[in-house]
Amino acid sequence: MASRVGSAGLFSISAPFGFLSLAFWANRMQTLYYLLYLPSVLAEPVMIGLILLAAGCSHLNILMIARCFAWKETPGGYLGIVRTLGSAVSFLFFLAGLFAVLMKGIVLMMGYVDIVHHILFPALHATLFGILLLCACVYLARLGMEKTVRFAIVAFVGTIWVTFLYVPFAFPPAAEYRHLLPLLPEHMPQGIWQAFLTVWAAFSGPEYMLALPKEAVDAKKLKTALIAANAFTAFEYIFFFVICLTFYGSDYLQRQDLPIVDLSRYIQLPFAERLEMILIPAYAISFVYVFAILLLYAAGAIQCLARSRLSAGRAPLWLAFLMMLLLTWMAGRWIWPDEWKAKQWITWLSWLDASTYTVLPFGFFLLGWITIRRKWRVRHAGGSK
């Protein structure tokens, strides 16, 4: 971001973010869409270990992200990136970032719109609903980065209660624990590396915090918040995978596109029916929140690419909104009506998220370490003279 604490503009931040804002931000970014279809990708009991392995690797990434904010030598914000990479490389970096944010936003938007269209309102025009939802996102994003990030508490509280409705599926008669065996099969299932790629992508999201100015984040608080968010994300993935596996069984689970959504139809309460009419709209809170964050990141990338040629006000946000609007219309017209194309874009998103979560934390950490070593050698050489 091209801002710093106390600066004016869309990205101004008056005070460092608190523990809850950082933790809930990371958790919503991680579980937003992958949680809905991840159980059908795994489908085998041994994949529980795959989730734990990905969570452990994600923990190492979190330590690198926290260290990047603790070191003064790592690039922070727009000016730090330009000073470290140079203007030409920085331009390519922001251009690639804009592409990644736009692609992630379109897949998330159309994925949620497709769920609403097929399960709740089949007669509703999917593209029109996506445009209306996009308007709600830009309404939140126009408040600026600080207020939008702090909205994470509302987004988390507004959707976490849904998890408790699935607790009865963890016990008999809904759960058949024999489906959890064998935990250690004689032969590993096919496609385990592709499954690990999806699980690794499902833990992505915290790397977006590297674009924040260092003054906006307390390194120790960030480390604790991300560790808590990562642990809770792993718990959510394992919990929903286990209840889907024990309810459907491995063979039938593989044929489900959205097992969590379909499972909501079996929730029974004495005072309500068809709870999917409540649960799916409840997820809109998190979708609007995460998409508003992505809009702000797209606006920040546009502002950095334009440099002084574009106003530092809300003009970059409206330009990002128009780009998302056009891409949403194009995706709804030519991509998402074809089921094969839609699944292909979801696969590409998994590759993209896995790549950014691998490259960005390690890259920023490596840049900081190299800078520290270089300064140490210069200081050591000066002392020897």
Side-chain angles (χ1 to χ4, degrees), residues 108-118 125-131 133 287 328:
L108 292 181
M109 176 64 71
M110 295 309 301
Y112 179 73
V113 167
D114 191 59
I115 294 173
V116 175
H117 174 68
H118 284 92
H125 195 281
T127 305
L128 177 60
F129 178 71
I131 293 174
L133 195 61
F287 271 93
T328 299

Side-chain angles (χ1 to χ4, degrees), residues 373-384:
R373 292 288 298 176
R374 187 180 301 163
K375 288 185 176 181
W376 180 85
R377 288 176 181 175
V378 172
R379 189 181 302 113
H380 183 73
S384 299

